[in-house]
Amino acid sequence: MSPGRTSRRRTASTTSPRSRRTASPYGLAGVTAPVEQRRTVPDLYGKPYYDNPGHPLNFTSSSESQNTYVYFPRGTDQRSGGAVLGAYAAVGMVQSGDVADRDRHLLPHDFMVYRNATATKSWFLLDEEIVVLAAGVGDPAGRAVTTTLDARTASPGDQVSLTGMLRGGRPWTGAGTGDLHWLRYANTTQRTAVGYVFLDTPQVRVALDEVTRSRRVVRTSNPDIAVTRTVLGVTVDQAPGAEPVCMAYALVPNAGGTQLASYPNGPLQVLANTPHLQAVSHTGLGLRAANTFTPGWHEVAGLRMDGPASVIMQRRGHRGPTTVAVSDPTMGRDRASVLIRGRSLRKVSSDDGVRVSPVHGGTRVDVDTRHAYGRSFMVTLQG
């Protein structure tokens, strides 16, 4: 996600409304942004909207063009959403340019257009952790890019600590930049903590700063009242002209150091992390989850998926039932298909629109996704 103009493509933020007054909009949790200063609409045009009624697009305060290009410019990539299986979820998005960037040749010469950075991202929501994968993170225009893995705030008087371990085994405390294996943020005053496991991530910059900003930064009609907070930022920086990078990390609420240090030998595994396919497995849960982003067949860990889709599969025990959830996050496909490698499985139960058939090498699941608008379809199989 990039800051600035509003987009339909959003990532979940762990920050509160108060924290948004102090954390930079370029450094909110989940944001990938080029390093540049974006001016607000009032700063650019002297009023809360762009006024140009004489242009063919007829920019007035309540016109369709105002909504399309100023108030609510949407991202141009259609892949945004995911699948749900019980308490688990697989969510993905492609960060793209917005419609203003796409249509800049149609827009007035004094209309300001900002170009986003690029990234393909997935969030896999499991029992103990949220696993985040990002691929193709960078900027085709060659600007420096920052990706904020997390941002958190605390009251200035709270007792906050940062501990962790580098990949070489040396302990880590406080702020700085390093090749981190894990990091733990604890607010003992509030009795809260969160851990970060860097599964495959470039060097991470950790900042813990006291920040004071006016509430008017959020909305011009707010009173000019200063708010001070202690702000944590966990960030990956990319230099100008750098090649796109991949990142894989997990957020582990309330984790202790022993738990965080155990992840290299634990049940969680990253199976794929590319702009085409992102997938994880968790042997303790008997679960595999994948997001696909491009046309064609994608295969990982015994799952073969056709085109953009989100898939979660869980099998309890060697002979237990297998449950599969499938969705079309583009909301525009008529059908999504998944081939499960291995012995043939029969359908026990399913949602309407799900068909199961034996094929050479496994079991095929076809889902009618037309007009499903991204909802998940479930099927239970037994073999």
Side-chain angles (χ1 to χ4, degrees):
M1 177 179 171
S2 283
R5 301 182 186 275
T6 303
S7 171
R8 185 168 69 94
R9 310 293 189 251
R10 295 186 182 273
T11 54
S13 173
T14 57
T15 56
S16 67
R18 176 172 290 185
S19 73
R20 289 195 293 269
R21 302 170 194 158
T22 49
S24 165
Y26 308 96
L28 295 177
V31 168
T32 293
V35 179
E36 65 180 11
Q37 188 69 35
R38 298 191 178 194
R39 298 173 65 193
T40 65
V41 170
D43 286 342
L44 287 168
Y45 309 119
K47 56 183 67 176
Y49 58 93
Y50 174 70
D51 192 27
N52 194 343
H55 188 270
L57 289 174
N58 184 34
F59 284 95
T60 64
S61 61
S62 57
S63 66
E64 182 177 341
S65 293
Q66 195 80 219
N67 287 335
T68 300
Y69 295 111
V70 182
Y71 295 153
F72 312 111
R74 295 166 57 181
T76 55
D77 195 282
Q78 298 302 307
R79 210 288 185 201
S80 177
V84 175
L85 179 63
Y88 311 116
V91 184
M93 62 163 275
V94 178
Q95 179 169 303
S96 62
D98 63 20
V99 293
D101 182 50
R102 182 196 64 192
D103 297 345
R104 62 171 65 212
H105 62 288
L106 303 175
L107 296 168
H109 71 277
D110 63 340
F111 188 94
M112 186 64 190
V113 174
Y114 292 105
R115 184 177 184 180
N116 291 339
T118 60
T120 299
K121 296 186 179 184
S122 291
W123 293 260
F124 298 99
L125 285 67
L126 308 178
D127 274 348
E128 301 294 334
E129 55 272 307
I130 300 171
V131 185
V132 186
L133 305 185
V137 182
D139 179 47
R143 296 167 294 182
V145 172
T146 61
T147 297
T148 303
L149 311 190
D150 202 11
R152 293 179 180 269
T153 68
S155 297
D158 286 359
Q159 296 298 309
V160 172
S161 64
L162 289 169
T163 56
M165 182 174 292
L166 296 168
R167 293 198 187 279
R170 290 190 294 114
W172 171 282
T173 57
T177 300
D179 188 14
L180 281 165
H181 166 35
W182 60 267
L183 176 73
R184 184 175 186 265
Y185 167 90
N187 184 330
T188 54
T189 304
Q190 301 297 326
R191 298 182 181 180
T192 60
V194 63
Y196 307 92
V197 180
F198 305 103
L199 302 165
D200 183 13
T201 304
Q203 286 210 340
V204 176
R205 173 168 54 89
V206 181
L208 191 64
D209 301 315
E210 188 169 288
V211 178
T212 301
R213 284 197 177 96
S214 170
R215 293 182 59 193
R216 193 166 289 172
V217 172
V218 178
R219 184 178 292 110
T220 55
S221 61
N222 281 346
D224 189 14
I225 298 175
V227 176
T228 300
R229 303 283 282 177
T230 301
V231 181
L232 167 73
V234 184
T235 306
V236 172
D237 299 311
Q238 293 171 252
E243 292 295 316
V245 300
C246 297
M247 306 174 198
Y249 57 97
L251 283 71
V252 191
N254 300 313
T258 302
Q259 179 184 354
L260 295 171
S262 70
Y263 270 86
N265 302 313
L268 179 65
Q269 182 179 2
V270 176
L271 302 176
N273 187 14
T274 74
H276 309 286
L277 168 67
Q278 295 176 330
V280 299
S281 68
H282 195 293
T283 56
L285 301 174
L287 183 141
R288 282 168 275 174
N291 289 319
T292 55
F293 298 90
T294 52
W297 287 94
H298 308 268
E299 186 154 2
V300 63
L303 290 173
R304 192 167 191 252
M305 297 149 287
D306 176 29
S310 289
V311 178
I312 307 173
M313 185 176 79
Q314 185 175 35
R315 177 180 293 157
R316 292 288 191 179
H318 182 64
R319 287 292 179 180
T322 297
T323 309
V324 183
V326 181
S327 77
D328 165 30
T330 71
M331 306 185 195
R333 302 182 63 194
D334 290 338
R335 186 178 72 179
S337 300
V338 180
L339 174 62
I340 304 170
R341 300 287 190 186
R343 65 180 185 272
S344 181
L345 304 173
R346 59 179 175 83
K347 182 169 71 172
V348 176
S349 63
S350 74
D351 291 334
D352 292 341
V354 179
R355 300 181 304 281
V356 177
S357 55
V359 296
H360 178 71
T363 305
R364 178 167 174 150
V365 176
D366 292 303
V367 178
D368 294 328
T369 55
R370 181 176 174 79
H371 292 165
Y373 305 110
R375 77 175 179 89
S376 298
F377 291 80
M378 291 181 57
V379 59
T380 298
L381 308 167
Q382 185 71 59

